[in-house]
Each structure stands twice: as structure tokens, then as C-alpha cells.
């Protein structure tokens, strides 16, 4: 399996899942945004977005869909919640909530605060507030009696839902929004980011781009 990845971008979800599952993979590390800094990547993924993932004839570009593909394909594992589990609906909802509802406002904050500052600071501020209000859904879930002491979003254990939402917290940390996390979300973020597979994914994406580009173009191999 091959994964095209930029450090701490949405493809981190896939890298983290690969580490949780202990699967072998080949990692292609790219500078961000690849559209500008690695235009040859467009031959792999004409969208220019990260992640891109290949497994034989299968090619995918949606981070949460790739995580779902991996956990469905490589069973048994603890990351999946089966359709006959009472938590199945909640699990699917968290899986998609992480990308569609949480990461979306972060994209605007990233663009207008970090990548293109000075153009639309008010948009960045508005979307930061919007993101924080959406995070209240996570806050409430962590305090629900249905999850007594489990510390995870659903099914009473760590699942792919925590990878989907956990990545949004990683991005929030990068955007300096973690200072505004509530106590339950801060504790949850500390828990997800201490997982051995999370830390292994962090290590796997470490690269000196200047040296790598000088040596061999943009490809990193693990
Ligand atoms: N919904 C997609 C979004 C993919 C996406 O927009 N990725 C960002 C990186 S986090 C990207 O490639 N941005 C650079 C660009 O659009 O040129 C996913 O979850 O994978």
C-alpha cells in the first residue's frame, strides 16, 4: 500500500490508522501544498489534494474513506464498530463528523490565518468561533453517561471515530485553538495524542525536505 502524505495534513488519519493496524506501507512525503511545491504529484492525483492512497488497483483520495477501507479490509480489529453493534450509527456519525463538520471550518482558518494572512482575518476569526462551537458536540459526548469513564467517543473503546475526530484536534492544536479546548476535550486530546500508533505516525512523517529534495526529489520511503 502506498500513501502520499504531507506532515500533519488530513493524510495523517491514514498514517495513524496504518500504524494502529500494524500494516506495512510505503510513504511518499511531500511538501505542502504539493500543487505548488511538488507539481509532479498531479500525475498521481489530478486533484492535487492530500491524501492519495493506492492499494493495487484501488486508488482513493478521501482520508476518512481510506481509514474505513483499511479497517474493513483488515479484520478483525478494534477500530471498526460492526453494523450489529448498538453504537454503529453513532460511530458512523463521528467518522464523518470529523471531516465534514469539524475539519471544514479549520480549512478556512488555515488558509486565511496561516497560509494567506492579511487577506481575510475576519473570516479566520469567524470560522475559529464556528469550529469551537462545533467542538461542543465532542465535549458533550465525552461527558455523556453512555460513555462512563471510557474516555472515547463511542462503543466504549478507541475506534476509527477517534482517529477522524482526533485528527481535527491535531489540526486545532496547529492552529493554536487547543488553548481554548474545554477540560474534557483537552484531556481527550492528551489521550489520543499519547497513543503509541499516533506517536509512531508522527515519527514516520519526520523528514528534512530540503535534504530529501536535494537527494531524490520528493519521495520518502519507510
Ligand atoms: N475531504 C478530503 C480533503 C482533502 C484536502 O483538501 N486535503 C488538503 C490537505 S489537509 C489539501 O490537499 N490541500 C491542498 C490543496 O488543496 O491544494 C479528505 O478528507 O481527504
Amino acid at each position: 500500500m502506498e500513501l502520499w502524505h504531507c506532515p500533519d495534513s488530513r493524510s495523517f488519519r491514514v498514517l495513524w490508522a496504518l500504524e494502529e493496524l500494524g500494516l506495512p506501507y510505503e510513504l511518499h512525503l511531500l511538501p505542502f501544498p504539493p500543487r505548488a511545491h511538488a507539481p509532479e504529484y498531479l500525475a498521481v492525483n489530478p486533484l492535487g489534494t492530500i491524501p492519495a492512497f493506492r492499494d493495487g488497483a484501488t486508488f482513493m483520495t478521501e482520508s476518512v474513506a481510506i481509514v474505513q477501507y483499511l479497517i474493513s479490509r483488515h479484520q478483525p480489529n478494534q477500530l471498526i464498530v460492526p453494523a450489529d453493534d448498538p453504537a454503529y450509527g453513532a460511530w458512523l456519525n463521528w467518522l464523518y463528523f470529523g471531516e465534514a463538520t469539524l475539519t471544514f471550518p479549520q480549512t478556512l482558518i488555515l488558509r486565511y490565518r496561516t497560509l494567506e494572512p492579511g487577506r481575510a482575518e475576519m473570516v479566520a476569526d469567524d470560522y475559529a468561533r464556528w469550529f469551537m462551537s462545533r467542538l461542543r458536540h465532542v465535549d458533550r459526548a465525552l461527558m455523556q453517561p453512555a460513555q462512563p469513564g471510557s474516555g472515547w467517543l463511542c462503543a466504549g473503546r478507541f475506534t476509527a471515530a477517534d482517529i477522524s475526530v482526533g485528527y481535527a484536534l491535531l489540526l486545532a492544536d496547529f492552529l493554536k485553538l487547543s488553548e481554548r479546548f474545554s477540560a474534557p476535550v483537552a484531556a481527550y486530546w492528551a489521550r489520543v495524542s499519547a497513543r503509541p500508533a499516533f506517536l509512531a505516525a508522527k515519527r514516520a512523517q519526520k523528514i528534512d525536505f530540503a535534504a530529501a529534495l536535494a537527494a531524490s526529489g520528493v519521495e520518502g520511503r519507510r
Side-chain angles (χ1 to χ4, degrees):
M1 287 181 285
E2 291 175 85
L3 174 65
W4 284 263
H5 173 64
C6 296
D8 286 354
S9 77
R10 282 170 174 88
S11 42
F12 189 83
R13 288 188 175 112
V14 182
L15 189 55
W16 184 2
L18 285 163
E19 289 289 345
E20 290 280 354
L21 295 167
L23 296 171
Y25 58 88
E26 187 178 339
L27 192 62
H28 303 280
L29 278 163
L30 304 171
F32 188 83
R35 210 165 2 99
H37 300 301
E40 66 281 10
Y41 174 60
L42 293 174
V44 176
N45 177 12
L47 283 172
T49 53
I50 285 287
F53 170 84
R54 187 173 288 141
D55 181 12
T58 300
F59 180 75
M60 301 175 75
T61 59
E62 283 294 326
S63 60
V64 178
I66 302 166
V67 170
Q68 198 169 358
Y69 170 87
L70 288 171
I71 60 180
S72 311
R73 276 282 170 113
H74 300 277
Q75 292 204 48
N77 66 69
Q78 286 294 302
L79 299 184
I80 196 162
V81 175
D84 59 359
D85 189 301
Y88 180 62
W91 178 72
L92 278 182
N93 209 66
W94 284 118
L95 216 49
Y96 294 95
F97 178 86
E99 173 61 16
T101 299
L102 280 186
T103 318
F104 163 66
Q106 295 182 298
T107 305
L108 287 133
I109 309 168
L110 181 68
R111 176 163 189 174
Y112 291 115
R113 181 161 292 147
T114 307
L115 301 178
E116 300 175 34
R119 287 188 58 210
E121 296 296 332
M122 278 171 62
V123 173
D125 291 345
D126 285 349
Y127 279 87
R129 266 196 303 279
W130 194 16
F131 170 75
M132 292 312 297
S133 70
R134 289 178 166 202
L135 212 49
R136 271 188 232 129
H137 191 47
V138 178
D139 201 41
R140 273 193 298 271
L142 293 169
M143 293 190 294
Q144 258 176 22
Q147 306 294 319
S150 92
W152 306 113
L153 290 175
C154 61
R157 63 175 199 274
F158 178 87
T159 69
D162 299 290
I163 291 182
S164 181
V165 171
Y167 169 69
L169 300 185
L170 185 158
L171 186 52
D173 192 46
F174 174 78
L175 295 170
K176 300 194 172 40
L177 295 171
S178 52
E179 300 149 10
R180 290 152 67 177
F181 285 172
S182 66
V185 172
Y188 173 67
W189 166 232
R191 257 189 317 280
V192 291
S193 58
R195 287 187 70 80
F198 178 100
L199 297 169
K202 277 284 199 183
R203 282 194 299 276
Q205 67 174 9
K206 275 212 161 66
I207 186 167
D208 177 346
F209 277 113
L213 283 167
S216 65
V218 293
E219 196 170 350
R221 198 175 234 275
R222 181 171 183 271

